[in-house]
Each structure stands twice: as C-alpha cells, then as structure tokens.
Amino acid sequence: MGRSGGGGGGPAMLLVAAVLVAGAAVSNAQLKVGFYSKSCPTAESTVASAVRQFADADSTILPALVRLQFHDCFAKGCDGSVLIKGVGNNAEVNNNKHQGLRGLDVVDSIKQQLESECPGVVSCADIVVLASRDAIAFTGGPSFDVPTGRRDGRTSSLRDADVLPDVKDSIDVLRSKFAANGLDDKDLVLLSSAHTVGTTACFFLQDRLYNFPLAGGGRGADPSIPEAFLSELQSRCAPGDFNTRLPLDRGSEAEFDTSILRNIRNGFAVIASDAALYNATATVGVVDTYSSMLSAFFGPYFRQDFADAMVKMGSVGVLTGAAGEVRKVCSKFN
C-alpha cells in the first residue's frame, strides 16, 4: 500500500487483546463491534450510505478510502491525525509520503452528517476505518465487522508520516516497518493485496523503469521486470510522465481477487514494493499459498484473512476511553 497512489489517489480482525510492540501499540482492548449501537445507532449505516453515494459519482474513491486508512494507521496509529489541516503546512498530511491522498473530503462530509444525527459521539478515526471497510465491500471484497470506539488524536506532525512504507523500500525494510506496528509477514502480503483494485500514477514507477541502480554500475530499468512487461510499462509511463495512471493489478483492476498475488508471483507486479514481496522466503510462501487456485477450496481463505488483516491494522495505536477527543470537525482539533 503506502505510496502506491492506489485508487486514483495515490496505493483488517484482531483478537481482543493488547500487544505492545516497538513503535506503535496494537490494541483493541476497549474497541468493540457495535460500539455506537446505543449512542448513535445510525452511525454505521450513515457511513455506508455516504460511501455508496460518493462511489456512485466516482468509483475510484473506493480504493482511495482504503489507502486513507492505511496512511492514518501507519503514522502514530489509527487516530485520525492524517485528517488535520491548517497548521502551517506542518501537519501529518503535508508529508510527501501522503502524496495523492484522497478521501478526506468524504470523511468530512460523513462527519458533518453524523454531527447532525449524534453530536460529539462518532470519532473521525472510526469514520476512516468504517469507510474503508465499506469501500472494500463495494469493490466486491469481503463484508466484515470492525470494532469501533477509537478516539481522535490531539497532535498531527509532518514528520510522523516518515515511517510510512515507500514503493522503493526493500523487502527487509517493509517487513521491519510492518513489524513495528505489530503486523507480520502474512499481514504484509494480505494488506498489499488491497492493490487488487485501484491505480497508481507513473510518478511511482519512474525510478523502477528508468533510474534503478544496476549491479554493474549506472542506472536503468529494474532487471527483474520481464522484457515484454517492461516494454508495456514504459509505453504507458514515458520518462518524466508523472501523471498517467495505470492499474496496480494488471488485467484485473476492477475486481477484488487474488490476481494481484498471481501477478506478483509471475513477475507482473507494477510497483517495486509489490514486486519485493517475492524477494524473501517469508513472504514468497504467503504469496504462493494465497495465489494457488486450491486456496479458494481448501484454504487458507484469502477473503477472510484479508478482512482479519484489515481489522488488525485498524487496531494499531488506537486511543480509547478518555484518551484523545471526539472532534467536531475532522480537519481541526476541538
């Protein structure tokens, strides 16, 4: 996910427990499914209805909303800090790692609706997670419950987003960044599989196609890209073309499926960070397992495990109870 620009905007179920890891805390000790069932019973249906309405106008917003959750949760945890604007361009959202991030207006709109229904009840952090969950379902992905009860953070700093995964990261760096958030190799592969829908900008391919460091010195195209596929990518993304968009999942960009993993296995990953998943034994095994045609019949079951990974990611570094606040407007602190 990370800086892929997935979804026209750029490129999860944890057991009830608390696990502290180096970096962010993965905890849902005070999260629960149906947290707003009494305090704001229409909360989840309001989010779903709004996401559907935005998607009817522009379907590319769906993968963009999934990317928004990833970017929020990976920087300081799922606290809505990525939504903050107007602090002298020093807010988290101003970091280049968030380039092309979309969906903030969707969250703002949903929050406005919920404030009219249940003032001061539903957090912006929960709206991000719920909108992402609904977006996955509306792309043909799994429908699943997500625990809620997150509170909104009171800080948002430019440098907080430096820890986000990058398309240029090696597999070792990617594994380390996920582990720092309590996410393992299986989660890394599953969450990267969100690239089964959505697009990326040629900006994120320029180095891989034209400026990749070569073993013998100099720079050129990534030698791991099959020749025919390289020609295809270079024909779509000319040198210096930063804006043209192309699917992250070649041949199956509109369908939520395991095609992205088969493409990674067969050398047709579009962005370098997806290709990197086939560069380490730990992740190669996960890619192979889920991309097997037999997986759909005998397990492991990709759709269920993807949903579990999304919920798990949604529990990273959450604020609950009396911590944080419930913002009245998602783009500014109370």
Side-chain angles (χ1 to χ4, degrees), residues 1 12 47 51 62-70 107 126-139 142 144 146 306 310 313:
M1 300 180 79
V47 174
V51 170
L62 296 176
L65 287 170
V66 181
R67 183 181 184 231
L68 181 62
Q69 181 191 343
F70 182 88
V107 175
D126 273 342
I127 294 172
V128 170
V129 172
L130 289 169
S132 173
R133 183 272 305 269
D134 294 333
I136 289 166
F138 293 154
T139 62
F144 53 98
V146 292
F306 176 82
M310 287 296 296
M313 178 179 69

Side-chain angles (χ1 to χ4, degrees), residues 160-183:
D160 288 340
D162 288 346
V163 299
L164 276 165
D166 192 281
V167 291
K168 301 176 187 177
D169 286 343
S170 68
I171 186 60
D172 289 338
V173 172
L174 289 170
R175 293 177 70 199
S176 176
K177 287 181 176 180
F178 272 69
N181 284 293
L183 302 169

Side-chain angles (χ1 to χ4, degrees), residues 123-329:
S123 70
C124 301
D126 273 342
I127 294 172
V128 170
V129 172
L130 289 169
S132 173
R133 183 272 305 269
D134 294 333
I136 289 166
F138 293 154
T139 62
S143 299
F144 53 98
D145 290 329
V146 292
T148 45
R150 296 164 192 79
R151 304 267 290 179
D152 298 321
R154 291 194 174 106
T155 62
S156 181
S157 172
L158 184 73
R159 298 274 67 91
D160 288 340
D162 288 346
V163 299
L164 276 165
D166 192 281
V167 291
K168 301 176 187 177
D169 286 343
S170 68
I171 186 60
D172 289 338
V173 172
L174 289 170
R175 293 177 70 199
S176 176
K177 287 181 176 180
F178 272 69
N181 284 293
L183 302 169
D184 58 23
D185 294 328
K186 179 179 172 182
D187 300 318
L188 168 57
V189 172
L190 287 166
L191 293 171
S192 297
S193 299
H195 292 159
T196 181
V197 290
T199 62
T200 187
C202 285
F203 172 86
F204 297 104
L205 277 75
Q206 288 294 315
D207 283 348
R208 189 177 189 216
L209 297 181
Y210 303 108
N211 197 35
F212 190 87
L214 303 176
R219 291 178 176 270
D222 180 350
S224 71
I225 305 175
E227 185 175 349
F229 187 43
L230 174 61
S231 296
E232 178 185 327
L233 291 175
Q234 290 181 329
S235 70
R236 301 282 299 277
C237 293
D241 178 359
F242 296 153
N243 298 320
T244 298
R245 306 198 67 85
L246 66 162
L248 283 159
D249 188 5
R250 178 177 181 260
S252 183
E253 65 271 17
E255 185 174 352
F256 188 99
D257 56 21
T258 56
S259 170
I260 183 68
L261 296 176
R262 290 190 292 277
N263 277 333
I264 290 170
R265 181 189 64 193
N266 296 330
F268 298 117
V270 173
I271 56 174
S273 54
D274 281 354
L277 298 178
Y278 221 63
N279 291 339
T281 302
T283 48
V284 165
V286 182
V287 172
D288 285 344
T289 298
Y290 286 108
S291 59
S292 167
M293 299 303 291
L294 296 177
S295 173
F297 301 100
F298 302 108
Y301 299 104
F302 171 72
R303 291 171 69 87
Q304 180 59 57
D305 290 353
F306 176 82
D308 289 350
M310 287 296 296
V311 173
K312 186 175 179 181
M313 178 179 69
S315 300
V316 170
V318 297
L319 301 173
T320 58
E325 64 184 15
V326 175
R327 290 182 211 141
K328 298 175 182 178
V329 177

Side-chain angles (χ1 to χ4, degrees), residues 107-121:
V107 175
D108 284 340
S109 176
I110 294 171
K111 177 61 172 176
Q112 188 174 12
Q113 288 181 248
L114 288 172
E115 282 298 295
S116 68
E117 297 172 14
C118 317
V121 174

